[in-house]
Structures are given as structure tokens and as C-alpha cells.
Amino acid sequence: MTVQLQELAAQLESIRQEAQQALTATDSLDQLEQLRVKYLGKKGPIPQVLGGMGKLDAADRPRIGALANEVKETIQKELDRRRLALQAIQIQAQLEAETLDVTMAGVYRPQGRIHPINGMMDRVTDIFVGLGYTVAEGPEMETDYYNFEALNFLPDHPARDMQDTLYLPDGNIMRTHTSSVQIRYMETNDPPVRIVMPGRCYRRDTVDATHSAVFHQVEILAVDEGLTFTDLKGTIKVFLEQLFGEVPIRFRPSFFPFTEPSAEVDVQWKGRWLEIMGCGMVDPNVLKAVGYDPEVYTGFAAGMGVERLAMVLHQIDDIRRLYTSDLRFLQQF
């Protein structure tokens, strides 16, 4: 072996040892990448050593080339080994930093609750849906025609004064009952009709323990051939039994412009009679207003205040408690 061959071989061995020591000492993936470029890059020490092969005999050049490849493979294997080791260390450190202590107490997040008004409205609606009724809704801002005229309220009818209506600047009104939905539905649907109408209503009531200017109603309407007051009483009886259980029920004569005859319905609850809802047979004039023939069709309607039902069933003493958003009160439901 010539002196030049020995020198090049010694240089390559020195590069191998130096690279192995540097790779073993590195402690980050960034440093590892820098060492890869330093020892295996085009401007690294191995290409510089190979540049001196031109001085070798032709027979010696393959030996130096093979030795250089061995050094490269050794450095590459050490790089791969060290990379896997550093990656494992990095993952372990991340796992330790993100460890979840399952013995620690969890963060309490209170669940939301259904408001007693919404709960009562859903409960009433579900009972009538179970009886075959379809849910119908209408606008809260109404015209005088749908809110009064089509429901048999004459222009000078005293019942208009009873409503204490909220009139808007454009002549429209905030609906005083959900009965307006009856007219809108019947105008676009032929008999038979079975609908339940939940919704918000507005009146100029002075707010106190039992009155609110904004409140909720649920009404029902049934129109078909041959319906009688007996059908109305049977429907109301089934509904109240679903809501209150087996309780005494009584019907008292009353008056509503859109029903004739009309009645108030009471239940005996907690030892006393309580007024629960109003009802009656649909007035023939209402049927005529929507194009139904009152000689062929009859119908019945009933309506109730949702807040009233909630106060009775939950024994709430003041309607204003339903609107104050006091969690101490609402969390009871």
C-alpha cells in the first residue's frame, strides 16, 4: 500500500470516528440534521478526501472508493439510530407533559334545564299530538282581521275592549290570543281539521302576581262533520286526565265571541276548584269567514294559558317568578 493510499484511508477513518462521537453527543433533532449535512453533504469532508484520489494509482482508487462508501454507510446508520432514539425521547417527554391524572376531580359543568314554561307547553302539545292533532303556528304580529274580525268580533263588540290590545304604528297589532292561527289554517286547509296551536301572546295587562303583558297559550281546534259538544267534553276530559290524573271536572257556561255555546272548565285540585281553560263549539260565523259550510261542518275549540297550568301544577305563587331568570328558582324544575 502506498503512502498516499494510507493517508486517504486514515483520513476516512478519522472522519468516521469524529462523526460517530459527534452523533453520540448530540441531544436534539436539529443538531442531528446539522451533523448530517456536515458529514454527508456535498461540501462535507468525504468528498474532499475523494478529491485526492486523482493522485492514486488506478488500481488503488476502487479501494478508497469502497472505503469511503463504508464510512458513509456507518455514518448514515448512526444517524438513523440516533434519530430514532431522540424521537423516542421527545415522544416520552410529550407524554409526560400531557399526562392525565384520572384521580383528579373533574370540572363541574352544570347541564341546562328546560324552562317550566317550555316544558309545560311541550307537555300539553304532546298530549294533543298523541290524540291525532297537528301542530300549527302563526305570526305574533297580526292584522285586525285575523285577530278579531274573522273570529266574530264586531267593530263595536265589547270583547275588543276586554282584550286591551297592543296596537302598532302601522295599524297591525300584537296578537292577543293564538285563535288567529285557527283562521289562517282553515283558509288554506279543507276539513277535517285537528290542530293544536302553541304560542306567545300579548295584552296590556298590568303585571302582578297573576298577570303578565307577555304570556303563552295553547289552543286546539277540531272541525268535521257531526262534531258535538259531547266530543268536546270527551276530548277535554281525556286531556285533563293526562295532565292532572283522575280529578273532578266541571263545565260552567261562559261567553266567547268565536264559540257558541261556550264554557269555562274547572278542575278540583288540592281541595279547591280552579279555572283551567275555556272552550266551546265554533260559531257558525267563524266557519263562514273561512269558506266552510256550517250546515255541513261543526267544530269545537279550547284554549288555556301555559303559565296558569305551570303555576297550578308546580304550586307557583307568583307568575313573575317564571320571567326573572333566577337560577335558584329554575333549578327546581
Side-chain angles (χ1 to χ4, degrees), residues 173-194:
I173 61 177
M174 301 304 294
R175 69 180 181 189
T176 59
H177 45 204
T178 54
S179 303
S180 56
V181 181
Q182 298 181 26
I183 304 299
R184 290 184 175 274
Y185 187 88
M186 287 190 288
E187 281 185 341
T188 56
N189 294 272
D190 295 327
V193 171
R194 300 284 192 284

Side-chain angles (χ1 to χ4, degrees), residues 12 15-16 19-20 23 39-40 46 65-81:
L12 289 172
I15 292 170
R16 182 186 65 79
Q20 285 182 319
L23 291 172
Y39 289 104
L40 298 181
I46 295 178
L67 184 59
N69 288 334
E70 290 178 4
V71 173
K72 287 182 179 179
E73 290 178 1
T74 301
I75 295 175
Q76 185 63 53
K77 289 180 180 179
E78 185 64 23
L79 274 168
D80 294 340
R81 185 194 67 78

Side-chain angles (χ1 to χ4, degrees), residues 114-124:
I114 296 177
H115 194 278
I117 292 178
N118 292 339
M120 183 57 60
M121 193 148 46
D122 291 344
R123 186 174 172 185
V124 172

Side-chain angles (χ1 to χ4, degrees), residues 242-254:
Q242 290 284 325
L243 199 61
F244 292 95
E246 294 286 344
V247 294
I249 302 169
R250 72 182 182 188
F251 288 74
R252 291 181 290 105
S254 186

Side-chain angles (χ1 to χ4, degrees), residues 160-218:
R160 287 182 183 253
D161 298 330
M162 291 165 55
Q163 299 296 336
D164 288 330
T165 307
L166 290 166
Y167 286 90
L168 301 175
D170 61 0
N172 290 321
I173 61 177
M174 301 304 294
R175 69 180 181 189
T176 59
H177 45 204
T178 54
S179 303
S180 56
V181 181
Q182 298 181 26
I183 304 299
R184 290 184 175 274
Y185 187 88
M186 287 190 288
E187 281 185 341
T188 56
N189 294 272
D190 295 327
V193 171
R194 300 284 192 284
I195 56 173
V196 55
M197 300 151 284
R200 187 182 292 110
C201 305
Y202 306 82
R203 295 181 190 173
R204 293 188 60 180
D205 281 332
T206 300
V207 177
D208 57 26
T210 58
H211 296 86
S212 174
V214 181
F215 59 98
H216 300 76
Q217 280 188 344
V218 177

